Amino acid sequence: MKSASAKLYKQLKNQKVRCLACQRQCLITPDQTGFCLTRQNHHGKLRSLTYGAITGIQIDPIEKKPLYHFYPGAKVASIGSYGCNFHCKQCLNHPHSWGELATQILKSQLAGIKPVSPEKIIREVKKTKAPGIAFTYNEPVINPEFIRDTARLAKKEGLFTVMVTNGSWTRQALDYYGQYIDAANIDFKGFSSTTYQKMGAYFGQIPALAQYAQKKHKIHLEVTTLLIPTINIKPRELKKMASWMVKNLGPKTPWHLSRFSPDLAPDQKFARLPPTSINQLQQAAQIGRQAGLQFVYIWAPTAGCQKW
Ligand code: SF4
């Protein structure tokens, strides 16, 4: 697959570059890729290796993202690509992020994958009659040029646009594509670097940039937390997270609490953890409500979705 010129980066001395797409801000030397394997330094210029490399278009209910307070009941054309800037031990999208196929594809620089242009994607989405498009399945912030071009076109065609993200976008990235994004579901995995590290993720400036997305770019935000026993269910940390949300994103921000299922965890240690109990989900929901959040939802396969 042909790579595309990246826009979000800085050129430095000795043909090094600094990628500005996500909060890792990788320093990349010639011929090397950043942490996500999708952005490569080519003679001192950054190239995106996954521009237009989509895994397909799937029509999902918007509640599956999950977004409950944005176009309720709508179907959304969902597209994903390959790679991620986190290496989460509980990843639910492992095949697209770091699974064998994704890693092989990324290491061989997407050989055999035919890029699809934003124009073609939007044409296909319009045929489905879905009123909007979601960038989901793998982490979209690592593909900012593709997100911007596709979302801009989508807006021109009257479609709404959604990102399902870990929230590791940078301020520069939000200033680059935020005006074309209507809503996002951000995964808050915890509220400390220690918790994020335990999972193989990177806390960075996620809360501050969520606030920036909402305040500066008017992006409708909903937050999801996958509750993992022994990893991120300490009441003190959950309380801190919920209180922060009330104060900085507003008490009407929906908080989706979901159940960890060890069968889906790619990491062997995480695969041996117990699943989240209904009791643990209810306790976390109560913490959210007591902190002042007005819309807390729990999702567990046996109990379905409930508002608390
Ligand atoms: S998107 Fe993030 S992980 Fe990937 S190269 Fe850029 S800064 Fe590094």
Side-chain angles (χ1 to χ4, degrees):
M1 174 178 161
K2 265 172 71 181
S3 59
S5 297
K7 300 278 185 297
L8 271 180
Y9 74 103
K10 241 197 260 170
Q11 285 183 303
L12 305 170
K13 278 187 190 157
N14 303 324
Q15 295 203 323
K16 289 179 190 166
V17 300
R18 184 166 306 280
C19 176
L20 302 175
C22 90
Q23 294 168 28
R24 287 192 184 277
Q25 303 214 356
C26 296
L27 179 66
I28 311 173
T29 51
D31 294 329
Q32 298 303 304
T33 53
F35 179 92
C36 61
L37 304 181
T38 71
R39 295 170 74 77
Q40 186 178 44
N41 181 336
H42 187 72
H43 302 302
K45 291 188 175 159
L46 193 64
R47 310 279 304 170
S48 164
L49 304 179
T50 48
Y51 188 101
I54 64 165
T55 53
I57 302 177
Q58 190 172 313
I59 306 301
D60 286 334
I62 193 131
E63 286 78 9
K64 199 175 160 191
K65 301 301 119 192
L67 287 171
Y68 287 5
H69 292 209
F70 180 80
Y71 281 83
K75 296 273 190 265
V76 60
S78 305
I79 62 172
S81 180
Y82 300 95
C84 191
N85 55 350
F86 290 180
H87 227 312
C88 294
K89 298 173 183 179
Q90 73 283 4
C91 183
L92 298 174
N93 289 319
H94 188 68
H96 288 164
S97 303
W98 291 108
E100 207 177 314
L101 174 68
T103 312
Q104 263 177 21
I105 287 171
L106 292 170
K107 284 200 169 145
S108 61
Q109 295 189 8
L110 299 142
I113 300 266
K114 211 167 162 231
V116 187
S117 70
E119 289 77 9
K120 172 131 202 259
I121 290 171
I122 297 303
R123 271 201 308 274
E124 293 300 316
V125 169
K126 290 207 82 176
K127 279 188 208 164
T128 71
K129 308 273 185 233
I133 183 167
F135 303 100
T136 178
Y137 305 134
N138 81 317
E139 178 48 54
V141 306
I142 62 176
N143 213 343
E145 295 82 13
F146 173 71
I147 299 294
R148 182 185 194 267
D149 293 351
T150 311
R152 189 171 59 158
L153 212 54
K155 299 300 306 160
K156 253 195 202 165
E157 293 293 328
L159 300 168
F160 67 73
T161 56
V162 164
M163 286 176 80
V164 180
T165 174
N166 59 29
S168 61
W169 41 32
T170 56
R171 186 176 280 249
Q172 293 92 331
L174 280 166
D175 290 344
Y176 180 59
Y177 53 64
Q179 63 187 299
Y180 305 115
I181 302 296
D182 296 309
N185 184 296
I186 302 186
D187 192 15
F188 275 14
K189 298 171 193 297
F191 218 64
S192 69
S193 300
T194 316
T195 301
Y196 268 69
Q197 271 165 19
K198 276 190 209 163
M199 298 182 190
Y202 179 69
F203 190 40
Q205 305 287 311
I206 288 170
L209 269 297
Q211 198 185 6
Y212 185 72
Q214 188 200 53
K215 301 280 181 286
K216 174 82 196 294
H217 292 287
K218 312 287 177 233
I219 297 176
H220 166 84
L221 292 188
E222 302 195 18
V223 173
T224 292
T225 302
L226 177 73
L227 292 169
I228 310 174
T230 75
I231 305 293
N232 67 347
I233 58 166
K234 280 201 189 111
R236 203 164 54 165
E237 190 167 340
L238 291 173
K239 192 174 167 199
K240 200 171 158 193
M241 188 193 301
S243 303
W244 183 90
M245 280 163 58
V246 171
K247 188 164 172 232
N248 298 283
L249 302 180
K252 290 190 189 306
T253 306
W255 192 23
H256 304 266
L257 299 167
S258 55
R259 184 173 188 248
F260 169 72
S261 175
D263 310 347
L264 304 173
D267 178 80
Q268 287 190 358
K269 206 174 130 207
F270 273 47
R272 288 196 292 273
L273 293 173
T276 327
S277 68
I278 298 292
N279 203 23
Q280 285 167 328
L281 286 161
Q282 290 173 343
Q283 277 171 6
Q286 207 170 11
I287 289 171
R289 295 287 289 149
Q290 280 168 357
L293 287 172
Q294 293 171 15
F295 300 101
V296 182
Y297 301 96
I298 63 172
W299 172 258
T302 47
C305 175
Q306 295 176 10
K307 180 177 181 290
W308 283 78

